[in-house]
Amino acid sequence: MAAPSTRSAVPPAAAPLSVPFFRPSIGEAEIAEVVNCLRSGWLTSGPTTKRFEANFAAAVGAKHAVALNSATAALHLATEALGLARGQGVLVPTMTFAATAEIVRYQGATPILVDCDPQTFNMDLEDAERKIALARSGKLPAANGEKLEVCGMIPVHVSGLMMDISAVDALAKRHALWVVEDAAHAFPAAWRPSAQSPWQRCGEGTSAVSCFSFYANKTITTGEGGMAVTNDAALADRMRMMSLHGLSHDAWGRYSGGGSWDYQIIEAGYKYNLTDIAAAIGVHQLERAEAMRVERESIARAYLDELGDLAELELPVVPENRIHAWHLFPVRLRLEKLAIDRNEFITKLKAAGVGCSVHWRPLHLHPYYRDRFGWTSEQFPVASPLWERLVSLPLFPGMQPAERAHVVRIVRDLCVQNRA
């Protein structure tokens, strides 16, 4: 029999570090609340949803909150409650996700796409003025030669950086427009017009309705979910009724011990309510919201410090009069200083274990808006070339220092190794 080997076992090679684009932060309190919900026997919209609504309204300083199954549902119900109809137009940034414009189409109305600011990527209000004039004169391609009644606007707080609310409000008042905020990225976020002014939270009366997202990668999550907040009781009542088939009583009212079995159909509504299972996650996520925002901010500021000297990158701007939600950390590649394009840059990032994304291909470059409404790249001189330079880096609470360091090292290496 051979003598046993005295050689030490060779430890396995460490797995290469891989950083996801996002990883949700779910605590034991959320898990316990979901279990309690499951054991309670009440799974759909009920007492936990009511609790989540009340707590969220208090968190943003709004009088009313309506919990829904997505921010898309919130946007749709907001525009429906405001009376959006066929033949009307709504200002929508071209630099946004599909939902912002598609809900305008749900109502048979026309999204009027607006270019973006080159630094913040938020809606360019000067271009919005131009688009209003074109729409009302019948010269807007999207209207097919017909004059459009421009009735509202849906600004988006891109990446969690709020727009100048006073400028938005001034534009709306000049043209008699309602405002619905797509605040999917902007919780918790705030702004103030001057150092002497108090902070105003996103949703604190900043528009007719503010719509938030609780998708898996947002600051707080319910898996899927959203919230519409408003100070207008009539709008809140309409959105709540329309979120449950347009019925006169919600399920909690009909099936709880003291509720009535009877109901009436008031309108042809939708099935947009949030479940108690989802709200059970949300109530505890909400308790940690500011802590998670601060953690995101610390990672973002580290990126700003550690990547700020690279001539090949432009980094996000951070105005002093904003509390940034830091949903995203988008960088702009200076392609003239690189020997590779954005797509190659992303391919190399992913090959090195760095998850990333692009926010966004502008709406006017998608076939639906290009072919149906006649939008062209020339009508958006900022957004059209800008999107080809965009890359969003990983940013999430719970991101480890080694993960952030890996992202920074790979980005720096790619910039240095691929200089033009």
Side-chain angles (χ1 to χ4, degrees):
M1 180 180 292
S5 173
T6 57
R7 293 179 58 189
S8 300
V10 178
L17 191 59
S18 180
V19 183
F21 179 63
F22 179 76
R23 185 170 58 233
S25 176
I26 303 295
E28 291 302 317
E30 287 94 322
I31 294 169
E33 192 75 44
V34 169
V35 172
N36 288 339
C37 178
L38 294 173
R39 287 175 172 159
S40 75
W42 196 274
L43 307 184
T44 186
S45 302
T48 308
T49 301
K50 300 294 185 188
R51 175 180 159 203
F52 185 36
E53 288 176 335
N55 292 355
F56 192 86
V60 300
K63 293 180 180 178
H64 309 280
V66 181
L68 302 159
N69 60 19
S70 68
T72 306
L75 290 165
H76 183 200
L77 292 181
T79 56
E80 193 280 338
L82 287 161
L84 180 61
R86 191 175 303 277
Q88 295 181 320
V90 178
L91 299 170
V92 173
T94 191
M95 193 62 81
T96 188
F97 182 60
T100 318
E102 72 189 15
I103 56 94
V104 176
R105 297 298 297 140
Y106 293 173
Q107 295 300 110
T110 300
I112 301 169
L113 302 187
V114 180
D115 209 355
C116 66
D117 177 89
Q119 296 299 315
T120 66
F121 319 150
N122 285 331
M123 181 186 283
D124 179 347
L125 297 183
E126 291 185 4
D127 189 52
E129 292 267 16
R130 289 190 289 269
K131 296 290 172 55
I132 292 171
L134 289 172
R136 290 177 172 171
S137 65
K139 296 178 181 178
L140 197 69
N144 297 316
E146 297 181 3
K147 294 182 180 180
L148 270 180
E149 176 196 351
V150 185
C151 63
M153 61 188 297
I154 309 178
V156 177
H157 304 306
V158 179
S159 303
L161 179 67
M162 287 185 69
M163 291 187 65
D164 182 333
I165 296 300
S166 61
V168 171
D169 187 54
L171 174 67
K173 288 178 177 176
R174 281 197 302 275
H175 296 284
L177 308 177
W178 47 253
V179 179
V180 170
E181 288 171 277
D182 183 336
H185 293 185
F187 177 76
W191 91 292
R192 57 183 177 181
S194 70
Q196 291 73 42
S197 305
W199 288 102
Q200 186 175 19
R201 290 165 288 182
C202 187
E204 189 179 6
T206 45
S207 63
V209 185
S210 299
C211 301
F212 298 88
S213 172
F214 307 135
Y215 186 67
N217 63 354
K218 299 303 191 293
T219 304
I220 72 169
T221 185
T222 58
E224 297 270 6
M227 192 78 76
V229 304
T230 181
N231 288 337
D232 187 318
L235 288 178
D237 289 345
R238 175 75 182 189
M239 289 187 291
R240 191 178 303 282
M241 178 188 70
M242 293 298 285
S243 74
L244 265 171
H245 301 292
L247 303 184
S248 55
H249 300 296
D250 62 18
W252 171 245
R254 286 190 289 134
Y255 296 123
S256 61
S260 170
W261 63 268
D262 197 13
Y263 65 89
Q264 292 181 322
I265 300 171
I266 308 299
E267 290 281 0
Y270 311 94
K271 188 67 169 68
Y272 281 164
N273 59 300
L274 189 73
T275 68
D276 265 22
I277 297 174
I281 303 171
V283 290
H284 292 286
Q285 288 273 296
L286 184 59
E287 293 171 355
R288 298 197 290 129
E290 178 59 14
M292 289 194 286
R293 187 203 67 79
V294 169
E295 192 173 353
R296 284 177 178 266
E297 183 177 58
S298 69
I299 296 165
R301 292 198 177 279
Y303 277 155
L304 292 171
D305 290 342
E306 295 163 1
L307 299 173
D309 63 323
L310 290 171
E312 293 79 14
L313 298 182
E314 291 181 69
L315 302 181
V317 297
V318 189
E320 292 183 357
N321 65 338
R322 302 291 197 279
I323 294 176
H324 202 314
W326 288 113
H327 169 57
L328 299 172
F329 192 91
V331 302
R332 287 157 286 166
L333 303 181
R334 289 192 172 105
L335 295 177
E336 72 280 4
K337 296 182 180 294
L338 287 165
I340 57 175
D341 64 15
R342 188 270 313 282
N343 292 352
E344 291 174 282
F345 196 91
I346 286 177
T347 298
K348 291 177 182 293
L349 277 177
K350 291 186 175 181
V354 175
C356 56
S357 191
V358 174
H359 296 84
W360 299 271
R361 181 193 300 268
L363 294 180
H364 70 272
L365 295 178
H366 288 277
Y368 179 80
Y369 295 97
R370 181 192 65 215
D371 300 341
R372 189 179 185 93
F373 297 103
W375 294 112
T376 66
S377 294
E378 292 72 26
Q379 293 162 324
F380 305 91
V382 176
S384 295
L386 173 64
W387 93 277
E388 296 179 350
R389 303 196 292 128
L390 290 174
V391 181
S392 294
L393 299 180
L395 176 61
F396 50 87
M399 189 177 191
Q400 298 301 303
E403 292 178 314
R404 193 194 73 236
H406 181 69
V407 173
V408 169
R409 180 176 64 80
I410 297 302
V411 170
R412 294 190 68 88
D413 287 351
L414 287 179
C415 288
V416 171
Q417 294 167 9
N418 295 280
R419 282 176 174 158

